[in-house]
Amino acid sequence: MEYLKLCVGERFDHDMPEEGMSIVLANGAPLLTFNFSVSLGEIQAFLNGAASFALFAEQKHLFFLFKVEGFLDWSDLAFTIHLAGDETIDEGHAYLPFNLVLVDSDTKIVKGLRMVTVSPDFRSRLAGLIRQQSAAPFDTLAYYQSIGRLYEKYPTAGDLLKEAIVIEQGGATLPTL
């Protein structure tokens, strides 16, 4: 098992897409990385703002939706277990930690680390969706084409949020929109 060492003030020397945000599973827990140029105020908002999460699923496609009050409005990332290696999420009946990492895009220095949780219900739904994904055949090109069509149908994170199957803030499930 490979471990990921993260420390504020040290370089983030791990693969990360250039687009600004990425999500991977790290030992069964989501790791959400923000690769931004940030001010001290934005770092404080990242560390202290209320964190919200949601899941959108359609045609075995999964999107993580997330918001950090004062730092980032609702945003989304498509996710497939087929591109995540051998990672899984245990169904369990416990809260699931989400690890948030803020990396300065110019220096690759970690500016903030934070852990928030989602409820056992969120965890269970996520584990079930990932299980469905892993059981389905996968074609990389077809996957990206399908994601493109979903973005045509739901062009904003707000559009995806309206159809979310679960929405949470700080480990408490909220009514869906």
Side-chain angles (χ1 to χ4, degrees), residues 11-12 16 18 34-39 102-111:
R11 261 184 88 70
F12 186 85
M16 181 172 46
E18 293 297 319
F34 303 94
N35 185 24
F36 297 148
S37 221
V38 291
S39 67
L102 179 60
V103 179
D104 183 280
S105 60
D106 296 326
T107 64
K108 303 300 180 214
I109 300 294
V110 175
K111 295 295 185 175

Side-chain angles (χ1 to χ4, degrees), residues 23-87:
I23 191 159
V24 297
L25 294 182
N27 299 318
L31 175 75
L32 183 54
T33 307
F34 303 94
N35 185 24
F36 297 148
S37 221
V38 291
S39 67
L40 288 176
E42 291 166 324
I43 294 169
Q44 287 305 310
F46 170 82
L47 294 172
N48 299 305
S52 300
F53 296 95
L55 291 175
F56 168 90
E58 186 172 303
Q59 304 166 3
K60 294 196 174 84
H61 293 299
L62 173 62
F63 287 79
F64 283 93
L65 303 162
F66 45 89
K67 173 184 178 178
V68 179
E69 199 69 44
F71 174 72
L72 184 68
D73 203 3
W74 281 106
S75 299
D76 63 88
L77 285 170
F79 177 85
T80 180
I81 195 65
H82 296 287
L83 298 176
D86 292 333
E87 290 284 348

Side-chain angles (χ1 to χ4, degrees), residues 81 89 91 124 126-136:
I81 195 65
I89 292 182
E91 188 110 12
S124 177
L126 177 58
L129 291 167
I130 287 175
R131 200 171 42 256
Q132 287 177 359
Q133 276 189 340
S134 66

